[in-house]
Amino acid sequence: MRRAATLDLAVVGCGAVVERLYRGALRALEARGVARVSALVDPDPARTSALGQHFPAARAFSTLADALAARRVALVIVTSPARLHAEHAIAALGAGCHVLCEKPMTIGVTDAERMVAAARDAGRVLAVGMTRRMYPCVADAREVISSGTLGTDLRFVHREGLVYEWPVATDAAFRMATAGGGVLVDLGSHALDLESTLLGALRVTSYADDAQDGGVETNCRVELTGPVARGVAQLSWNQPLVTALHVTGTLGELILDPRQVGALRWRRHGDAWNTRVSTATWPSDLALRGARGMPRHHHDCIYYQIVAVLRAIVHGESVPADGLDGLATARSIEACYARPQPLCLPWLTDAEQTRMDLRHHGRERWTAA
Amino acid sequence: MDGGIAVIGAGGFVGARLLEMAVLGGRTDVVPVVRAVRSMGRIAQLGLAYRVGDAGRPDSLASAIAGCEVVVNLTKGDAREILSTTENVHAAAVAAGARLLVHLSSAAVYGAAFPADLPDDAPPLPGHWMPYAREKGRAENFLRTRMGDPSLSIVVLRPMLIWGPGSPYVLGTATSLIDGSAWLVGDGSGICGLMYVDNLVRAILAVAAHPAPSSAFFHVGDDETTTWAEYYAALASGLCVDPSTIHRLPAGAYRPRVGDLLDGVRGSDAYRWLKDRVPLETRAGLKLRIARARSRGATSGRTVKSSPAVTRELWNLQTIRHRLPTGRFAATFPATSTTSFSAGMASSLTWLRFIGIGDAAA
């Protein structure tokens, strides 16, 4: 079997996402000869320098344009701040590169549509970093649900929340102007994608959050409905929510911990819980009939996700999540923000809740509309 | 901002609620001061301007609290940093020309055995076994030596057990009640020295509002006296948990357990050194293996979850026989403990359902 050529990659944005999530996967790809990081792009030379120590073949650039002019890369991994995703992805696609864009794909539907159009026009792959699609438990849950094991009339409650601890360098994530939103954009990008992956297309029917003048939401609640299922997603940046996706149907129920790659329980009503032992595997390299592996944790999933994107480039296989999936999530988020209601927070006194309702950012939007 | 209140440690449990109460109370003079920008994530809904100040560096703190006349120190962090952090906050308050420093200490500085009439200015128990309590005591001792400075009033507040929505004492107790690992020492008649978080925030703001408070130590707490049995019973009732599932452990001397040993290891410099050097991926893999090993234990018929999860800290708390006298604080400042036990419990239970505990829909 002929070994596929090593593909060159560029990484745009060398902050915490790459440092904490991508670095190990990229090093593993290099060690296995699957890909090589040849360009690191960030306006902060300290960041490219620190990351460059792990990638000897990589050259540092302060702008993507410089990198694309100097290096011939197959795939650009966009891990820059979300507000720059569209600009970076469209530039990379325009230069003939394929793109893997971290979540959220964009802030707003318009940019998402531009990215999808750019990929289509360039005939290039546009993948979105929905790493949870690589979780074995998600693959298993999909199988359990699609097999009809849970029956019909599916209802779900999806909670995800904990006190925010991502090591951001600036407060861009906490400003509407720069982040486009708060926990809905952040955790919600994953949550909405997971729900639609498992339960089919879902439409936002109502949305409430706690964002006040000048702030972004730290708690939100989304009600969704679709042909197969309906339910609620609750997300938080400051409350220790009992994190789980709980799906109930006429015949049974399923509980998935969306932060664990292998946690899945399901049962028929009245029966004991089954703990699913996953057998889901993903290709480990670019060989057509090469090795496969099972992710053990989130970092492994990032590795397999990049391999999947590279295989899409080389073999034309489908990517775990493409630009249209990212666009669908962007549309759902925009539908939420179009008409936000104040969220009822149980720890507030009546007077505080009234004041919060008055300070709620939705009032500004409605007034502006 | 001139005349404002700087809240150092604004991203913590008490700090976040203080900011929320202040903003929703219409105040605009409260300034969050955080060590890292990420701490603002917890209160990002408020859209507040904030300042970054590292309590490990007095110069950084002094500029962060510049212009504020009151400094509230709610920093928690590593026990080994409590004293140095307190020294730095004090130095910064002096350097910034603040008139008042409100310092949050803890009744833990007295251990479990203290007389019912313990004066507010009683010195902390020396050589406390728990690093947190010991260092809180050392921080108090430091502030005591600075209370003679007429330019900066220092008010030290000593709550025992801060509870309410968001409190680890509510979440931890509720979780243990549901999974069957909750326990009480003896008949549960030990005094649960509760202070509802809103009552504590009101106490802090009352001190801050005082035009010229004298430097002093104050015991603070809720007005009502609640036993551990009553506290557990109220939570159990709200969560529809059969109170007979609460383990009753014979009163007596605490017997060290494996968990104490592990806590000792986790607190050691060697452990921290190692943890800082193990890659995230490896740590994630180790956690997964431990979780799998635990789940194997659970499915093999061993009653892992229903065993009482005894800790020395909680044991000591449950063996306290008196509530600290809070009369001096009440006589000095306006009534602040306006949230009753029943109202606080109702809010706590609603919060638990909000986060998904005891919620039938989940």
Side-chain angles (χ1 to χ4, degrees), chain A residues 266-290:
Chain A
W266 64 273
R267 67 178 175 185
R268 294 278 186 150
H269 292 314
D271 289 354
W273 286 102
N274 299 287
T275 302
R276 179 84 174 209
V277 178
S278 181
T279 54
T281 60
W282 314 114
S284 304
D285 56 35
L286 303 187
L288 267 176
R289 282 175 293 280

Side-chain angles (χ1 to χ4, degrees), chain B residues 247-298:
Chain B
H247 299 269
R248 301 283 178 158
L249 306 182
Y254 175 76
R255 287 185 306 169
R257 288 162 164 81
V258 178
D260 300 323
L261 256 176
L262 291 176
D263 285 345
V265 171
R266 286 193 198 101
S268 68
D269 290 337
Y271 178 84
R272 287 163 197 280
W273 183 88
L274 193 62
K275 190 181 168 191
D276 289 346
R277 281 155 184 80
V278 175
L280 271 173
E281 293 92 328
T282 309
R283 273 156 52 194
L286 280 172
K287 277 184 185 172
L288 186 71
R289 285 185 180 190
I290 292 168
R292 282 184 177 157
R294 281 184 174 165
S295 68
R296 271 199 297 275

Side-chain angles (χ1 to χ4, degrees), chain A residues 66-91:
Chain A
D66 290 346
L68 294 174
R71 294 289 211 205
R72 186 182 173 84
V73 296
L75 176 67
V76 173
I77 299 178
V78 178
T79 50
S80 49
R83 67 183 185 282
L84 300 174
H85 283 182
E87 175 190 329
H88 288 152
I90 290 168

Side-chain angles (χ1 to χ4, degrees), chain A residues 24 159 165-166 171 174-175 212 215-216 218 234 238-239 241-242 246 296-297 299 346-347 352 355 359, chain B residues 17 20-21 23-24 37-38 41-42 44-48 50 281 288 350-351 354-357 359 362:
Chain A
R159 286 193 177 94
E165 58 178 9
W166 188 253
D171 65 358
F174 310 139
R175 302 289 170 199
Q212 298 161 46
V216 295
T218 54
Q234 184 189 348
N238 60 18
Q239 300 298 323
L241 303 187
V242 178
H246 188 175
R296 295 160 301 156
H297 45 69
H299 293 86
W347 56 89
E352 287 173 343
R355 177 87 181 173
R359 285 173 47 86
Chain B
R17 181 62 183 137
E20 186 173 56
M21 286 176 71
V23 169
L24 296 179
V37 177
R38 69 176 164 203
R42 189 170 187 162
Q45 83 279 15
L46 300 173
L48 287 171
Y50 65 96
E281 293 92 328
L288 186 71
T350 316
W351 170 73
F354 177 86
I355 67 169
I357 290 179
D359 180 358

Side-chain angles (χ1 to χ4, degrees), chain A residues 9-52:
Chain A
L9 314 179
V11 177
V12 189
C14 299
V17 172
V18 177
E19 191 63 39
R20 291 173 69 99
L21 298 179
Y22 277 77
R23 194 182 77 192
L26 292 170
R27 289 187 68 183
L29 286 166
E30 285 202 343
R32 294 176 194 181
V34 176
R36 175 177 52 224
V37 178
S38 65
L40 296 170
V41 182
D42 198 291
D44 183 350
R47 285 182 174 178
T48 47
S49 172
L51 199 59

